[in-house]
Amino acid sequence: MSKVRIAILVSGQGRGSNMQAIIDACRDGRISGEVVAVIGVKPDAPAIERATASGVRTFIVNPKDFADPSDYDRELLSVLSSVQADLVCLAGYMRKLGKPIIEAYRNRIMNIHPALIPMFFGQGMYGHHVHEAAIERGVKVSGCTVHFVDEDYDTGPIILQSVVPVEDDDTPDTLAARVLVEEHKTYVRAIQLFAEGRLLVEGRRVRILPG
Ligand code: GRF
């Protein structure tokens, strides 16, 4: 089986812990794949520095450098095709991707969200906002979701979800930390299922084919 070529998109602020989990899993064989590019918006972003320290090829494509958003999309697409990416993984990437990218990589772009979609999701629901909302609403469980990316925020077909308990004394920080542990494992599992060709998308549902 040939290795899946993975490009990871990160933001300017993210720690890059999901990115690192993917890189590590490719290297120790839990993912039959290779991270061929980490694409970020600025060279001194923590995730970009981490990728460089891990010896992964990095690219900087900053949407602010493009007056016309379609030029940004074109540049991103050209980087993705130059590294022959099979799969694009968003790891703390905050923007909505342009239509040309979604169409070129339909069902080949994944995102991780730190809640059980359709709870606490959509525009503005990122980072701490998610865990604050979960605690404020008093849910007893939360978790994370890996999904394919479509034209809107967090609405694409769901691949895997993992559940964690919400404890009475949780703060957004303690809940975020518990969810993050599951994020790393769940993202790695979802990518490996993709690498094994076991994800079948039927409308909004993703069937996991037997191994
Ligand atoms: C994660 O919580 C992920 O669910 C969300 O952004 C955060 C990125 O964290 N999409 P990290 O940069 O991977 O540590």
Side-chain angles (χ1 to χ4, degrees):
M1 186 171 49
S2 69
K3 286 187 169 186
V4 60
R5 298 176 65 81
I6 303 166
I8 304 179
L9 264 61
V10 297
S11 72
Q13 300 84 37
R15 302 158 289 205
S17 73
N18 279 286
M19 174 203 76
Q20 190 71 57
I22 297 166
I23 294 171
D24 293 348
C26 287
R27 289 187 173 161
D28 69 20
R30 280 173 295 141
I31 294 176
S32 323
E34 184 191 350
V35 177
V36 292
V38 171
I39 307 171
V41 296
K42 52 179 189 170
D44 59 349
I48 291 292
E49 287 177 344
R50 224 167 153 174
T52 306
S54 295
V56 173
R57 198 168 168 203
T58 61
F59 295 82
I60 303 301
V61 188
N62 191 337
K64 292 194 181 127
D65 294 339
F66 300 86
D68 182 346
S70 60
D71 289 337
Y72 169 69
D73 292 346
R74 241 189 308 278
E75 181 60 22
L76 214 48
L77 272 176
S78 117
V79 172
L80 292 172
S81 78
S82 76
V83 296
Q84 295 172 282
D86 304 310
L87 176 68
V88 179
C89 292
L90 310 188
Y93 183 81
M94 312 294 256
R95 298 171 58 85
K96 202 192 267 191
L97 286 172
K99 214 173 164 57
I101 299 167
I102 307 282
E103 277 167 3
Y105 286 86
R106 176 80 59 194
N107 296 334
R108 294 194 295 144
I109 308 174
M110 288 184 188
N111 181 43
I112 178 107
H113 182 73
L116 297 171
I117 292 172
M119 285 194 283
F120 315 119
F121 78 117
Q123 191 165 17
M125 270 297 165
Y126 60 88
H128 259 228
H129 302 293
V130 177
H131 306 295
E132 275 158 21
I135 288 173
E136 193 276 326
R137 184 59 187 83
V139 292
K140 299 298 185 190
V141 293
S142 190
C144 61
T145 304
V146 180
H147 62 93
F148 284 119
V149 172
D150 67 7
E151 282 78 358
D152 218 331
Y153 285 107
D154 303 330
T155 52
I158 291 171
I159 302 165
L160 288 178
Q161 294 185 300
S162 298
V163 177
V164 306
V166 180
E167 308 290 357
D168 289 346
D169 58 355
D170 263 334
T171 64
D173 280 343
T174 59
L175 179 56
R178 192 175 308 118
V179 170
L180 191 64
V181 173
E182 292 308 314
E183 287 186 41
H184 298 161
K185 293 192 261 184
T186 311
Y187 216 166
V188 164
R189 276 207 305 274
I191 295 169
Q192 179 57 11
L193 288 170
F194 180 94
E196 291 173 3
R198 292 173 57 196
L199 299 179
L200 181 66
V201 183
E202 293 176 334
R204 297 193 79 180
R205 300 186 72 180
V206 179
R207 273 186 32 213
I208 298 175
L209 303 174

